[in-house]
Amino acid sequence: MKNSFKKSLVVLSIALMGFTTVNCPGKKDDNTALLLAGLFLLNQPEYTVILTGTLRGADNLPMKDGKVTIADVAGGGFLTGGQGTISDFTTCVTAGAPPANGTADGEFTLLFKTPSLSGVLDFTPNDAASATNASSCSTITGLAASDFTNVTGPTGQLAVNLDLNDRSNTSQVSLSGNTGYSITVKSISVFVKGEYTLQSPTVGENVCDGGRLTGSPVIKSGSISSSETWSGGILLQGTVFVESGATITVTPGTAVFGQRGSSIFFKRGSKLVSNGTAADPICWSSASSLGSRFPGDWGGIVTIGDSGATRASNTEGTTPQGYGGTGSLPGTSNLEMSYTIIEFGGNEVAPGDELNNLSMYASNTTLNHVQAHRGLDDQFEAWGGTGAWSNILATGGLDDDLDLDEGFGGSTLGSGATITNFISHKYIAACGGSASTDPHGLEWDGIHSDGGVACNSPSAPLLARCTTVTLNKFTLIGAGIAGGTAGRIREGAQATLTNGVAYGHASGFRVDTATAVTAATATTVRGQSGQSTTGTLNTVTYDITSLPITSDGGINTESNCGFAATKPDYTLKSGFAATGFGGAADGKWWENWAVFRAR
């Protein structure tokens, strides 16, 4: 009992320190104040609220170029300390009718935490100075966050009255004092701190949840200019930069926690080595308390290498960094990962500008037994560079699971990069979070926005070498989210798909051929019965009529969202099993070390 209590204090101290932005001087090993604070807060209530609504203008039409912000009223203290202002940009549907899942122009999602059941928040709406509600989505999503300065109307008061007996009742919030705008509340979810009923946790879930830690985490912030070895518990505060020449080596069993809004950037010339083991995986997670972790809690990991891309540009994030253009190929290895979990990343910093769980820019990467879990934006995304990847798992993501762009793998003409044993698994909406308008299993772009480049001729310079990838042995499981496909391939990508299954997405594969000719082939690939390929992708057989894997762990069929004792088994059922077929063709490589709980 004493040991369990001690572990509870460790996890609580991480959450507490995650909201701490000022470190007062004191004795290096004196954690008395922190532990006393932990003792005080251990029994204090905290409620996490996820509010999804639509912002409407004076004409009652949804505002697709909007931004909403909530904050404590002066002297109010309704929000848990450290949250400050909380904002979200409204959605912009690119074409056609709103998707069936309710996503529409003007939709926003706000997640806030409070120690009280009732209170009042200031609600402020803005729109973009350089756009109108009639502007195209590409114009709106291309704007910087600083452009959303037009005052739509006076600050209103958002009254919150939580009812724990009816947690999804939309009348728990109401807006007053608003003129010139309104909101339509679409859904509310309320989660209570301490309600964390995870059954039979995996080794990875124990590591990610701080169950193996003792003592307080080591805080990392600002710039790191020399090589370091990390072990135990690490807490990231703000944007952490690893400078050129520095290597961060993370030891097996280490848990790295990112406070809200934090991220870590590995600049060109630096390196991350995060090699765990099946018995001691490494976890990069949210610093929020157990049961209150959600997609987008923190920014995730960003690596920048010297392996080039089909353009020179800047990364996403609040402090963009340059990447790409010409470079030596395959370039210097700057990311090595094995038995590593990255979860709850992808916070939005501008409309259409979200970080991901793992963002790789012009990087030369080696990934083996790596899981990206519950990312708000993409799970794995690469811009240029190359890599050798195997045994890759993407679970519960809210946008694309495997997004490759701007010449990834294009350094080896005629073959490109090969990814072996890939599994992606979407979670249903009841598990929390707001999915994007086009959440795909695969999204591969050869270049950026189709620049008319002739891809991969033997004499082509680096800037004309488009994404060239072979995906072998894969399983793509969807959750029927509107707008999502099993895979979208476009803008000159050279794609080879072999030995795979796709089931549960809103539609099958889509191949878009533009000026830079996209080339996609499929060999021994099966999709969901009744679906078809948009564009040309030869030899996909759409004949799967039921879930092809042994078990989804009840995540999508029973809405347990990964908390039950039964975990997913991605082994193909006997009717689909074949030698070398599917993401589990080489055995249950995810078993015991991966994570599945939704929050």
Side-chain angles (χ1 to χ4, degrees):
M1 186 67 180
K2 290 181 179 179
N3 189 49
S4 298
F5 181 69
K6 187 174 184 180
K7 289 181 179 178
S8 297
L9 283 179
V10 171
V11 176
L12 181 64
S13 71
I14 293 168
L16 177 65
M17 294 175 74
F19 287 121
T20 302
T21 56
V22 178
N23 297 316
C24 298
K27 295 181 180 179
K28 183 177 181 181
D29 298 322
D30 185 3
N31 295 313
T32 304
L34 179 63
L35 291 175
L36 286 174
L39 285 168
F40 174 74
L41 290 175
L42 192 59
N43 293 316
Q44 300 304 301
E46 182 180 70
Y47 310 101
T48 299
V49 181
I50 302 178
L51 165 64
T52 298
T54 300
L55 177 66
R56 299 179 183 275
D59 54 7
N60 203 37
L61 295 176
M63 294 180 57
K64 64 183 182 182
D65 65 331
K67 176 185 178 182
V68 298
T69 301
I70 58 173
D72 263 325
V73 298
F78 180 59
L79 295 177
T80 300
Q83 292 181 92
T85 59
I86 299 167
S87 301
D88 190 34
F89 301 94
T90 59
T91 58
C92 186
V93 177
T94 55
N101 67 348
T103 300
D105 289 339
E107 184 176 286
F108 62 86
T109 299
L110 298 170
L111 185 152
F112 61 91
K113 300 184 179 185
T114 173
S116 305
L117 289 172
S118 61
V120 178
L121 296 170
D122 282 339
F123 183 97
T124 305
N126 293 94
D127 62 11
S130 300
T132 68
N133 203 36
S135 298
S136 67
C137 289
S138 60
T139 297
I140 293 170
T141 57
L143 299 175
S146 58
D147 198 71
F148 288 75
T149 55
N150 279 352
V151 178
T152 304
T155 295
Q157 285 71 52
L158 188 72
V160 181
N161 293 282
L162 302 181
D163 182 357
L164 299 185
N165 295 315
D166 190 5
R167 302 186 188 185
S168 61
N169 191 332
T170 56
S171 65
Q172 293 176 99
V173 300
S174 60
L175 184 65
S176 63
N178 52 304
T179 57
Y181 69 93
S182 62
I183 64 169
T184 300
V185 179
K186 301 176 68 173
S187 66
I188 294 178
S189 298
V190 181
F191 301 89
V192 181
K193 185 179 76 174
E195 291 185 354
Y196 190 66
T197 57
L198 178 62
Q199 302 177 48
S200 302
T202 66
V203 171
E205 286 165 346
N206 275 329
V207 172
C208 291
D209 292 349
R212 294 188 168 192
L213 301 180
T214 58
S216 299
V218 177
I219 295 175
K220 300 293 180 181
S221 61
S223 294
I224 298 174
S225 57
S226 58
S227 297
E228 296 183 358
T229 298
W230 292 0
S231 60
I234 304 293
L235 179 68
L236 305 179
Q237 291 187 333
T239 303
V240 179
F241 292 104
V242 180
E243 304 293 340
S244 180
T247 296
I248 301 299
T249 302
V250 187
T251 61
T254 299
V256 183
F257 300 96
Q259 75 168 31
R260 182 173 302 219
S262 69
S263 59
I264 184 166
F265 279 66
F266 289 81
K267 291 185 177 180
R268 182 169 177 164
S270 68
K271 185 173 183 177
L272 170 60
V273 179
S274 179
N275 290 327
T277 67
D280 289 296
I282 293 167
C283 185
W284 300 72
S285 187
S286 161
S288 295
S289 56
L290 299 184
S292 297
R293 295 173 175 174
F294 292 92
D297 271 359
W298 70 297
I301 302 170
V302 180
T303 66
I304 307 168
D306 61 3
S307 298
T310 57
R311 65 169 178 160
S313 188
N314 292 318
T315 69
E316 296 167 323
T318 55
T319 311
Q321 304 294 306
Y323 76 93
T326 57
S328 59
L329 293 171
T332 306
S333 172
N334 65 313
L335 174 63
E336 296 178 12
M337 272 189 178
S338 61
Y339 290 103
T340 293
I341 301 153
I342 311 140
E343 60 177 9
F344 303 116
N347 62 306
E348 185 177 41
V349 297
D353 183 359
E354 301 94 352
L355 295 174
N356 308 288
N357 267 332
L358 180 58
S359 304
M360 297 159 282
Y361 292 89
S363 293
N364 182 354
T365 56
T366 302
L367 307 180
N368 188 347
H369 291 86
V370 178
Q371 180 185 17
H373 180 63
R374 297 292 282 159
L376 179 64
D377 196 50
D378 298 332
Q379 303 271 51
F380 296 91
E381 184 165 9
W383 294 258
T386 190
W389 300 358
S390 60
N391 299 337
I392 305 298
L393 178 62
T395 47
L398 297 177
D399 197 29
D400 307 319
D401 291 322
L402 182 60
D403 192 334
L404 308 176
D405 198 0
E406 298 184 16
F408 176 78
S411 61
T412 305
L413 296 179
S415 59
T418 297
I419 301 172
T420 305
N421 292 341
F422 175 75
I423 298 171
S424 74
H425 182 186
K426 299 288 189 188
Y427 284 18
I428 59 176
C431 294
S434 178
S436 75
T437 56
D438 56 350
H440 308 303
L442 314 176
E443 181 171 89
W444 296 1
D445 299 335
I447 51 180
H448 176 71
S449 298
D450 183 24
V453 176
C455 295
N456 284 1
S457 93
S459 60
L462 172 64
L463 292 177
R465 295 178 181 176
C466 296
T467 296
T468 307
V469 179
T470 296
L471 180 62
N472 182 37
K473 303 177 185 177
F474 64 91
T475 299
L476 311 175
I477 303 298
I481 304 171
T485 67
R488 182 172 67 179
I489 303 167
R490 61 182 182 174
E491 295 177 351
Q494 314 291 291
T496 302
L497 307 180
T498 60
N499 304 315
V501 297
Y503 178 83
H505 303 84
S507 58
F509 292 93
R510 175 174 178 172
V511 180
D512 298 330
T513 301
T515 306
V517 178
T518 300
T521 61
T523 303
T524 321
V525 176
R526 298 172 67 178
Q528 182 173 333
S529 178
Q531 295 183 347
S532 61
T533 298
T534 302
T536 303
L537 184 61
N538 65 312
T539 330
V540 175
T541 302
Y542 290 95
D543 64 348
I544 303 176
T545 59
S546 61
L547 189 69
I549 59 175
T550 300
S551 171
D552 68 357
I555 291 170
N556 288 18
T557 56
E558 300 174 13
S559 302
N560 68 44
C561 296
F563 283 88
T566 303
K567 310 301 178 184
D569 183 350
Y570 299 110
T571 306
L572 294 182
K573 294 177 181 177
S574 59
F576 303 93
T579 301
F581 192 67
D586 294 329
K588 302 179 183 182
W589 46 264
W590 64 87
E591 196 169 42
N592 296 323
W593 66 270
V595 302
F596 299 101
R597 71 279 185 275
R599 53 183 173 83

